[in-house]
Every structure is written in C-alpha cells, then in structure tokens.
Amino acid sequence: MGTTAVVVPGSFDPITFGHLDLVERAASHFPRVVVAVLDNPSKSALFTVEERKALIAASVAKLPHVEVDSFEGLLADFCVQRGIGVIARGMRTGRDFEHELRLAQMNRRMRRLETAFFASSSEHSHVSSSLVKETARRHGPLATMVPPHVASALASKYS
Ligand code: PNS
C-alpha cells in the first residue's frame, strides 16, 4: 500500500457505479482517499455541490479512510494544501486517453503530482454521469448505473 493520500477528483454530477468502483479500488491501495468535487460555478450542473457531496457521502459511508470534500481553482493546489501526492483517475475507453494524459502531465509539471490510472471495470466502461442524466430525464432504468439513493435523487430532479 502507498503511503500518501490519493484524491479521486471529478464533477460527480452525480456519482455513478463507475466512480464508486474507482473509489473502492483506490481505497485498497492508499491509506487515505479524498473524493473531491470540483466546484465550478461557470459550468451548469444538475446537482449543487452540497447535493453531490451528500450523494457521495451516502455512497462511501461503509468505506474506511474515505473522505468527501470539494475544491475551487486548480486540483494541483488543492492536493498541495491537503498533503495529497497522487491523483486517481478512471480510464474507460481510448477516448478518455488524450485528455487524461494532458491533465496528468499538467499536474505533474505544476506540482510534481503523479496520476494513477485505473482501468475501468468492463461492466462500467459505458457509464458516465451524462448518460445517467439522459437516461433519467427520459425515465429509463438506472439500477445498473447508480446506487438506489442516487436514482431517487435523479427521479426527484426530473419529476
Ligand atoms: O469528472 P470530470 O469532469 O472528468 O473531472 C475533471 C476534473 C474535475 C478532474 C478536472 O477538470 C480538474 O481537475 N479540474 C480542476 C481545474 C484543474 O486543475 N485543471 C487542470 C489543469 S489546467
């Protein structure tokens, strides 16, 4: 197990089983995991930052060493402030690769932060928050993509 804390950053609008798989796997390799929601007022989100944090907290309640937080500004600065040395990101398909590579290189150059990529589990590689919202908006089935409390929160938003 590594000795540094790891951050699992993202928009989490809302958290999915893909994110949760990543958080659980990161928690088995690092002594402390911080799930960090980007607070980006310029980007319109379905859930507020507080709602997103609450949905994440309910999803990770049984996992030890996992905290939920939010950040504004640069992820690299948040990591330095919190003593976090590694960023964990999921890699679903080749489409994620180029963008993720640039982010990782940028974060390493700015603050010497390493990024650990976790290959997404095959059953979750198609899952994204945008697809989840599109499905929810059309009242489609969500059970394979998000936990029940997230499905309920989506149902109330689109009721
Ligand atoms: O869930 P997402 O939208 O794929 O997450 C992307 C996220 C939040 C990890 C990324 O956009 C990010 O770190 N944003 C914060 C600003 C920042 O540090 N950008 C990278 C260097 S310019």
Side-chain angles (χ1 to χ4, degrees), residues 9-12 19 36 38 43 71 73-76 89 92 99-100 103 106-107 110:
S11 306
F12 300 106
H19 295 128
L38 174 63
K43 205 173 152 187
F71 69 104
L74 286 176
L75 173 61
R89 292 287 284 168
R92 286 170 300 194
H99 177 63
E100 291 298 334
L103 281 183
M106 189 79 185
N107 286 320
M110 286 192 292

